[in-house]
């Protein structure tokens, strides 16, 4: 069974300043999503599901979905702040989305096979999709048999500011914890560092695995997510900026013994438009990848 690619495209690029999911960055107007989908299909994925906000559905279908017709099946689902379990009412002042794992939950009715989750505005590289597809197509005989691609942090940096990354700890190739670090950056010596909860500087080896939100799940993950979302709402329904993130659920399932997460290594180099100053570098990189034959003149 071919896996599905689930693309999280509901967010706004606040630091970048706009709907960067729809920004034309390739030499023929390609978006970052186009490259991810091209690489995923080449790697063996058989269907694409997007989660977006309802208010830009028309533009999204016209500019994004239409180009894939005849190449791969596509479905669109929607994330909204009032998409809550029965018995819960969204606070009137809540405008912030409920987070990445809430977005994942929106795919339950569209996905019945192993699936990978990606961000719409990150370039992951073909090797990352290759190792993910191979792992998702492996036979499974239990629930909670998940995976993630562990990018080497040195392959995920920008020269234009700090980045947020889920720093991973592993044992025997499996994830033991993932801690979100919101301000990883280069110091004056070009070493990678962050400031921990105690205000102390911590350096990271460039090969340290980090999560770039490239996860691999089976459909049982939706049931676990619904259970944990209720717990989250019981605690944080009225906390205006609280978000239900994927690592929150993953940590819970690992600690309870209900799931394991195999960490897949890749030499792929991430890039994306975290800041407006990143944009030209991304445009130049895509031009290089077309020029050297990594990508054809026309993706779709």
């Amino acid at each position: 069974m071919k896996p599905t690619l689930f693309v999280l495209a509901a967010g706004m690029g606040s630091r970048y300043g706009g709907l960067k999911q729809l920004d034309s960055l390739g030499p023929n107007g390609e978006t970052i999503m186009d490259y991810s989908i091209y690489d995923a299909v080449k790697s063996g994925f058989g269907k694409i599901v997007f989660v977006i906000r309802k208010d830009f559905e028309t533009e999204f279908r016209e500019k994004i979905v239409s180009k894939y017709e005849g190449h791969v099946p596509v479905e669109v689902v929607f994330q909204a702040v009032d998409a809550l379990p029965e018995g819960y009412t969204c606070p009137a002042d809540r405008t912030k989305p409920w987070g990445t794992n809430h977005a994942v939950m929106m795919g339950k009715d569209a996905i019945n096979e192993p699936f990978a989750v990606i961000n719409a505005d990150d370039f992951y590289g073909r090797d990352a999709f290759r190792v993910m597809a191979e792992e998702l197509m492996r036979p499974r005989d239990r629930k909670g048999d998940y995976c993630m691609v562990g990018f080497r942090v040195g392959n995920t940096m920008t020269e234009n500011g700090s980045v947020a990354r889920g720093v991973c700890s592993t044992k025997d190739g499996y994830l033991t914890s993932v801690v979100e670090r919101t301000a990883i950056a280069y110091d004056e010596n070009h070493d990678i560092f962050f400031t921990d909860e105690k205000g102390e500087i911590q350096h990271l080896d460039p090969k340290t695995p980090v999560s770039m939100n490239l996860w691999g799940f089976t459909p049982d993950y939706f049931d676990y997510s619904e259970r944990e979302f209720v717990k989250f709402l019981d605690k944080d329904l009225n906390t205006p900026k609280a978000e239900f993130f994927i690592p929150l659920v993953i940590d819970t399932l690992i600690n309870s013994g209900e799931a394991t997460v195999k960490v897949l290594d890749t030499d792929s180099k991430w890039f994306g438009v975290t800041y407006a100053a990143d944009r030209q570098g991304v445009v130049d990189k895509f031009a290089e990848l077309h020029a050297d034959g990594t990508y054809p003149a026309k993706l779709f």
Side-chain angles (χ1 to χ4, degrees), residues 19-90:
L19 277 176
K20 57 183 175 180
Q21 295 92 341
L22 303 185
D23 195 4
S24 298
L25 298 169
N28 301 299
E30 297 90 351
T31 68
I32 287 181
M33 283 188 292
D34 292 335
Y35 293 96
S36 291
I37 291 165
Y38 180 87
D39 286 340
V41 172
K42 286 289 186 183
S43 299
F45 286 82
K47 183 174 73 175
I48 313 298
V49 177
F50 293 101
V51 56
I52 66 171
R53 294 195 325 273
K54 185 70 175 177
D55 62 333
F56 70 97
E57 179 186 9
T58 299
E59 182 182 6
F60 191 87
R61 288 188 182 277
E62 289 176 352
K63 186 169 184 178
I64 301 298
V65 176
S66 62
K67 71 181 70 175
Y68 307 132
E69 292 177 353
H71 297 281
V72 61
V74 177
E75 294 188 43
V76 177
V77 297
F78 305 101
Q79 184 183 21
V81 294
D82 59 356
L84 299 179
E86 186 176 352
Y88 294 85
T89 301
C90 183

Side-chain angles (χ1 to χ4, degrees), residues 85 100-106 108 115 117 146 217-233 244-246 248-250 252-253 258:
T100 52
N101 208 89
H102 180 255
V104 170
M105 291 167 61
M106 301 303 101
K108 182 175 183 178
F115 65 100
V117 174
Y146 307 144
F217 298 123
T218 46
D220 55 272
Y221 187 73
F222 294 119
D223 295 330
Y224 287 129
S225 294
E226 290 175 350
R227 184 191 73 190
E228 295 304 316
F229 191 43
V230 168
K231 296 178 183 177
F232 168 85
L233 292 174
F244 186 53
F245 291 121
I246 294 171
L248 175 68
V249 179
I250 290 297
T252 298
L253 296 179
E258 293 172 283

Side-chain angles (χ1 to χ4, degrees), residues 176-240:
T176 56
S177 70
V178 54
V179 179
E180 188 74 11
R181 300 296 182 184
T182 57
I184 300 174
Y186 288 120
D187 64 15
E188 63 274 9
N189 299 315
H190 216 253
D191 293 328
I192 301 170
F193 79 98
F194 66 90
T195 303
D196 66 16
E197 297 86 350
K198 299 177 181 178
E200 297 177 356
I201 300 296
Q202 303 290 341
H203 285 87
L204 289 173
D205 184 296
K207 293 183 179 179
T208 301
V210 296
S211 169
M212 297 301 301
N213 227 29
L214 178 41
W215 300 92
F217 298 123
T218 46
D220 55 272
Y221 187 73
F222 294 119
D223 295 330
Y224 287 129
S225 294
E226 290 175 350
R227 184 191 73 190
E228 295 304 316
F229 191 43
V230 168
K231 296 178 183 177
F232 168 85
L233 292 174
D234 286 342
K235 179 176 178 289
D236 285 314
L237 175 64
N238 293 303
T239 305

